[in-house]
């Protein structure tokens, strides 16, 4: 099941929610304030890395 990220337009609370295909069109209620004015954000799956060192960009100055 895909995990979608939502953000409440009322309080600005961001949360993730497992949404089934059948429930994709149903409105999501904000667990913080209870408002249904939530918008779905583009979830970035590549943001979570385990045991992976961040690549450091080393720029050598021409000189
Ligand atoms: Zn809210």
């Amino acid at each position: 099941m895909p995990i979608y990220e939502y953000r409440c337009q009322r309080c600005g609370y961001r949360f993730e929610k497992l949404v089934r295909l059948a429930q994709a069109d149903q409105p999501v209620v904000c667990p913080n304030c209870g408002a249904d004015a939530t918008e779905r954000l583009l979830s970035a799956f590549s943001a979570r890395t385990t045991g992976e060192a961040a690549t450091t960009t080393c720029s050598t100055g021409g000189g």
Side-chain angles (χ1 to χ4, degrees), residues 7-15 29-38:
R7 191 187 70 174
C8 180
Q9 298 179 356
R10 188 173 186 177
C11 67
Y13 181 75
R14 294 176 62 176
F15 59 95
V29 179
C30 173
N32 191 30
C33 67
D36 58 349
T38 54

Side-chain angles (χ1 to χ4, degrees), residues 4-40:
Y4 292 107
E5 186 175 5
Y6 292 86
R7 191 187 70 174
C8 180
Q9 298 179 356
R10 188 173 186 177
C11 67
Y13 181 75
R14 294 176 62 176
F15 59 95
E16 295 179 350
K17 184 180 178 61
L18 271 169
V19 179
R20 293 186 179 181
L21 295 178
Q23 301 176 347
D25 294 336
Q26 294 184 2
V28 177
V29 179
C30 173
N32 191 30
C33 67
D36 58 349
T38 54
E39 60 175 354
R40 189 169 61 185

Side-chain angles (χ1 to χ4, degrees), residues 5 42-48:
E5 186 175 5
L42 296 176
S43 61
F45 287 92
S46 62
R48 188 170 296 177

